[in-house]
Amino acid sequence: MEMVCRRTWVDGGQGSQVDLAMVCYIGVGKKEEVQLFYYFIESSQNPEKDPFIFHICGGPGASGLLVMLVDTGPLILSADNLTLTLNPDSWTKVANMLFVDMLAGNGFSYSETEEGWRNSDTVLVAEANEFIRKFMIDHPKFLSNPLYMSGISYSGIVIPKITLELYEGNERGEQPILNLQGYILSSPLMDRFMTFNSKFETAYRMTLISDYIYKLGIHNCNANYVDTNLANGVCAKSLQSYEECTSHINMNNILEAYCDQSNPNLDCEEACNKAVNKWANREVAQQALNVRQGTIEKGKWQVLNTTWRYNQGMNDTIYYSYDIFSSFPHHKKLRTKNCRALIFNGDHDLSFPYVGVEGWIASIDFKVEAPWKPYYVQDQVGGYEIKYSLNNYTLAYATVKIRP
Ligand SMILES: *[C@@H]1O[C@H](CO)[C@@H](O)[C@H](O)[C@H]1NC(C)=O
Ligand SMILES: *[C@@H]1O[C@H](CO)[C@@H](O)[C@H](O)[C@H]1NC(C)=O
Ligand SMILES: *[C@@H]1O[C@H](CO)[C@@H](O)[C@H](O)[C@H]1NC(C)=O
Ligand SMILES: *[C@@H]1O[C@H](CO)[C@@H](O)[C@H](O)[C@H]1NC(C)=O
């Protein structure tokens, strides 16, 4: 198989190529039948010393290109004319960033066997572990950089397990030994019960439901808004009030306009995803990225594989098994490692709200190292942070204050 790794980028407007990212495939599985596509950008500060961050998107099934073009990555894609500008707030200013299309069927990743297309949380953990060690074998100059595993949203359910298995692999002497330092979770799904159950409480704190609805809900549903007994009519009624109050709220940021297929002109997730799809489906872009001929059906590339996407209470599909229910046991085991964790939430996120994360932390006997206090960004409160520790494990938890 050709192994040409290309340093490249292409501007959507002019079609000119620049040297920005290294893009390539790494094969995983017994016969390397699963070819995982990645984007790697060196830190613009000090690539020899700066942290090395393996970072995946949510969904599951959201491509690394989403981070590259509309999130914390180095570029900003204009939804109007598909031109690219540099992102002044990119994480690549302080870290080496590796964005991966995790699993065949996500972004430009694909499989050469039938078996390789069948995905799950467990497959994701195994392939991520194999991927990162292989990447380091190919790029040993980054072996000494402090390594962090990082993910957004849905990835919160898998990143702790990936991190734990990497520590355990190191302990077993798997090669190469990684300089693993910890993990980072942004607005994570942590537990398929606790995360979703916290939405009711969050809706109350955000004044989306009234005192009356809230108190009645606690009483009628016994503070369980997920595994509801449908026979319990009074609870169903409370949940109906909650649904009515929140069904036209933008769950990712309740201050933003609500958007769906019927109002696609708003600057919302739909519009961003469409722009990325348009950008990546053009031949000039796929050539610049060195995408292998015939692996992507013409015009069919999607930034999010919607057949995998998880919603509350969803069952497994033929494409993806949601087989890790909770990340708690993995966090708990990580507390015995030499490990730093950073978890943060947008304070107006109702998809995977901060209330659920706080609930998890409160359930563990941590020592508070630095109490809850504001932190400042350009003289304004940027959010709040608290630090915990246990032996050699430290957890920094922060909220990010959403600005108008
Ligand atoms: C593309 O659109 C952005 C606004 O999204 C604008 O700032 C920029 O000037 C436009 N570039 C070109 C080449 O038209
Ligand atoms: C989504 O993933 C499945 C395999 O799980 C694959 O068959 C399908 O082609 C993928 N869809 C897209 C749009 O890439
Ligand atoms: C999941 O499967 C169960 C049992 O087959 C079914 O009762 C439930 O409605 C399904 N849930 C969804 C969201 O499809
Ligand atoms: C904490 O880390 C130090 C230095 O790596 C090590 O010597 C010590 O044994 C560790 N303590 C625990 C409880 O793991």
Side-chain angles (χ1 to χ4, degrees), residues 335-338 390-393:
R335 292 175 311 164
T336 64
K337 311 293 177 201
N338 213 328
L390 192 77
N391 303 325
N392 283 349
Y393 176 91

Side-chain angles (χ1 to χ4, degrees), residues 88-249:
D89 302 319
S90 174
W91 285 17
T92 55
K93 298 239 154 141
V94 292
N96 300 293
M97 298 295 304
L98 179 60
F99 306 125
V100 191
D101 287 345
M102 270 318 293
L103 304 179
N106 176 354
F108 291 111
S109 297
Y110 65 95
S111 170
E112 284 155 358
T113 63
E114 276 299 310
E115 180 75 18
W117 292 102
R118 255 176 260 132
N119 292 318
S120 67
D121 298 330
T122 304
V123 168
L124 202 160
V125 170
E127 291 188 0
N129 279 274
E130 191 179 341
F131 179 94
I132 190 74
R133 284 196 208 270
K134 281 196 168 154
F135 183 92
M136 288 300 176
I137 289 170
D138 291 349
H139 306 277
K141 71 172 187 165
F142 295 107
L143 259 177
S144 57
N145 297 58
L147 172 67
Y148 293 89
M149 306 307 282
S150 159
I152 318 170
S153 183
Y154 183 89
S155 311
I157 206 99
V158 288
I159 288 288
K161 180 108 200 266
I162 294 171
T163 312
L164 180 64
E165 298 217 338
L166 286 174
Y167 273 107
E168 289 175 352
N170 271 356
E171 287 158 14
R172 284 192 299 268
E174 268 172 41
Q175 296 298 320
I177 300 285
L178 304 169
N179 184 17
L180 188 58
Q181 297 293 319
Y183 59 107
I184 305 167
L185 305 178
S186 330
S187 291
L189 171 63
M190 304 196 80
D191 178 280
R192 291 183 208 268
F193 175 77
M194 204 187 264
T195 299
F196 295 120
N197 208 50
S198 71
K199 292 170 82 146
F200 192 82
E201 163 88 26
T202 312
Y204 174 60
R205 293 199 199 176
M206 292 289 162
T207 60
L208 302 178
I209 58 174
S210 69
D211 241 40
Y212 179 74
I213 296 174
Y214 175 62
K215 284 181 182 149
L216 204 62
I218 295 179
H219 182 257
N220 289 346
C221 301
N222 224 343
N224 178 344
Y225 316 101
V226 175
D227 296 330
T228 50
N229 177 0
L230 291 180
N232 176 353
V234 283
C235 175
K237 203 138 185 265
S238 276
L239 290 181
Q240 204 182 338
S241 311
Y242 162 83
E243 279 298 324
E244 206 176 301
C245 294
T246 56
S247 64
H248 281 68
I249 291 290

Side-chain angles (χ1 to χ4, degrees), residues 105-108 276-278 280-283 286 294-306:
N106 176 354
F108 291 111
V276 178
N277 288 344
K278 242 192 242 168
N281 271 308
R282 288 164 325 141
E283 209 154 312
Q286 294 193 7
T295 56
I296 298 294
E297 216 180 315
K298 209 170 155 63
K300 292 282 167 65
W301 190 91
Q302 282 187 351
V303 71
L304 177 69
N305 191 326
T306 44

Side-chain angles (χ1 to χ4, degrees), residues 312-315:
Q312 181 177 343
M314 242 173 92
N315 292 317

Side-chain angles (χ1 to χ4, degrees), residues 188-383:
L189 171 63
M190 304 196 80
D191 178 280
R192 291 183 208 268
F193 175 77
M194 204 187 264
T195 299
F196 295 120
N197 208 50
S198 71
K199 292 170 82 146
F200 192 82
E201 163 88 26
T202 312
Y204 174 60
R205 293 199 199 176
M206 292 289 162
T207 60
L208 302 178
I209 58 174
S210 69
D211 241 40
Y212 179 74
I213 296 174
Y214 175 62
K215 284 181 182 149
L216 204 62
I218 295 179
H219 182 257
N220 289 346
C221 301
N222 224 343
N224 178 344
Y225 316 101
V226 175
D227 296 330
T228 50
N229 177 0
L230 291 180
N232 176 353
V234 283
C235 175
K237 203 138 185 265
S238 276
L239 290 181
Q240 204 182 338
S241 311
Y242 162 83
E243 279 298 324
E244 206 176 301
C245 294
T246 56
S247 64
H248 281 68
I249 291 290
N250 184 327
M251 288 283 152
N252 293 336
N253 176 357
I254 66 168
L255 302 178
E256 294 267 325
Y258 173 74
C259 56
D260 60 12
Q261 307 283 1
S262 62
N263 48 359
N265 293 326
L266 289 171
D267 177 25
C268 59
E269 201 188 331
E270 275 307 309
C272 284
N273 288 359
K274 273 192 189 145
V276 178
N277 288 344
K278 242 192 242 168
W279 187 91
N281 271 308
R282 288 164 325 141
E283 209 154 312
V284 60
Q286 294 193 7
Q287 272 169 9
L289 297 176
N290 221 14
V291 170
R292 289 185 186 137
Q293 291 277 325
T295 56
I296 298 294
E297 216 180 315
K298 209 170 155 63
K300 292 282 167 65
W301 190 91
Q302 282 187 351
V303 71
L304 177 69
N305 191 326
T306 44
T307 62
W308 305 0
R309 191 177 199 166
Y310 182 76
N311 287 312
Q312 181 177 343
M314 242 173 92
N315 292 317
D316 292 352
T317 69
I318 50 163
Y319 300 107
Y320 198 101
S321 301
Y322 311 103
D323 58 3
I324 296 180
F325 185 81
S326 175
S327 64
F328 294 169
H330 313 124
H331 290 282
K332 281 189 183 155
K333 283 195 182 146
L334 284 162
R335 292 175 311 164
T336 64
K337 311 293 177 201
N338 213 328
C339 179
R340 295 168 74 196
L342 168 66
I343 305 180
F344 60 93
N345 281 85
D347 64 355
H348 285 78
D349 180 352
L350 195 58
S351 291
F352 300 143
Y354 67 96
V355 175
V357 181
E358 287 180 351
W360 164 68
I361 294 172
S363 74
I364 289 186
D365 194 18
F366 282 127
K367 190 173 98 222
V368 174
E369 196 141 283
W372 179 268
K373 65 172 184 347
Y375 63 85
Y376 291 83
V377 179
Q378 288 161 358
D379 296 333
Q380 292 289 317
V381 171

Side-chain angles (χ1 to χ4, degrees), residues 43-116:
S43 168
S44 51
Q45 196 171 245
N46 187 353
E48 285 83 32
K49 292 267 176 336
D50 286 344
F52 186 104
I53 302 182
F54 168 98
H55 186 78
I56 52 174
C57 290
S63 164
L65 196 53
L66 193 60
V67 216
M68 281 296 292
L69 301 183
V70 296
D71 197 51
T72 49
L75 295 164
I76 300 170
L77 176 68
S78 155
D80 301 331
N81 53 29
L82 301 189
T83 54
L84 300 167
T85 42
L86 289 174
N87 177 6
D89 302 319
S90 174
W91 285 17
T92 55
K93 298 239 154 141
V94 292
N96 300 293
M97 298 295 304
L98 179 60
F99 306 125
V100 191
D101 287 345
M102 270 318 293
L103 304 179
N106 176 354
F108 291 111
S109 297
Y110 65 95
S111 170
E112 284 155 358
T113 63
E114 276 299 310
E115 180 75 18

